[in-house]
Amino acid sequence: MSAGGDPLDDPQWEWVRATARAPVPTPPGLIERVLRSVHGVRGGLPAEPLEIAQEGGRLRVGERAVVLLTRRLGADLAARIGGLHVSAVAFEAGVLEVVVTVEYGLGADTAAETLRIRLQAALRAELGPAAPAVNVHIADVYRN
């Protein structure tokens, strides 16, 4: 089926329905990370800032700024890739956890990995070697 067709007309859509009916436990810590991210955007994260060496000294970048930067860069890159939407970003144990939804019909694993690679490169361009690692998690599938 092409990415532009109606997924409900796809005979394999029943696989999606069957998967949706199957109970899937929430990955450990995911809810806490997302809530922490939301709380962080509102200004309540106590984590140590990233330190970036610069010519005149060291620049300290807070977790809130890193999360917002990652969300903005991730949204821009996801739009360029197409079929991806960044739902949440959390900063946990020095790693950025990016949660995305994927359009039905898109090669989800390939798109998520492409986003991870491009987002990691974009963060390194902005933050240098202090840029944290990035993980991308597919949380849902949507139809357009």
Side-chain angles (χ1 to χ4, degrees):
M1 157 144 250
S2 70
D6 186 346
L8 296 177
D9 294 336
D10 187 335
Q12 295 179 358
W13 187 251
E14 183 54 37
W15 295 352
V16 174
R17 286 189 189 99
T19 301
R21 287 189 299 266
V24 178
T26 302
L30 179 62
I31 292 171
E32 290 82 7
R33 287 193 304 264
V34 170
L35 290 175
R36 190 166 124 87
S37 176
V38 169
H39 187 148
V41 169
R42 293 182 182 153
L45 291 173
E48 287 294 315
L50 294 177
E51 290 201 12
I52 302 169
Q54 294 187 326
E55 202 171 296
R58 301 186 77 66
L59 173 66
R60 296 177 64 145
V61 181
E63 184 173 350
R64 179 178 181 201
V66 173
V67 167
L68 289 172
L69 174 64
T70 303
R71 190 165 179 81
R72 182 185 57 81
L73 291 171
D76 290 347
L77 292 167
R80 286 188 206 140
I81 292 168
L84 288 173
H85 172 74
V86 174
S87 302
V89 175
F91 197 32
E92 180 70 23
V95 177
L96 286 158
E97 305 291 347
V98 179
V99 180
V100 298
T101 58
V102 180
E103 184 178 355
Y104 178 80
L106 182 70
D109 290 340
T110 301
E113 180 63 9
T114 299
L115 177 61
R116 188 193 68 74
I117 290 167
R118 291 181 184 175
L119 185 53
Q120 184 73 66
L123 287 167
R124 281 201 183 115
E126 295 289 332
L127 302 172
V134 175
N135 292 325
V136 174
H137 308 278
I138 300 169
D140 201 0
V141 176
Y142 70 93
R143 67 182 181 108
N144 205 1

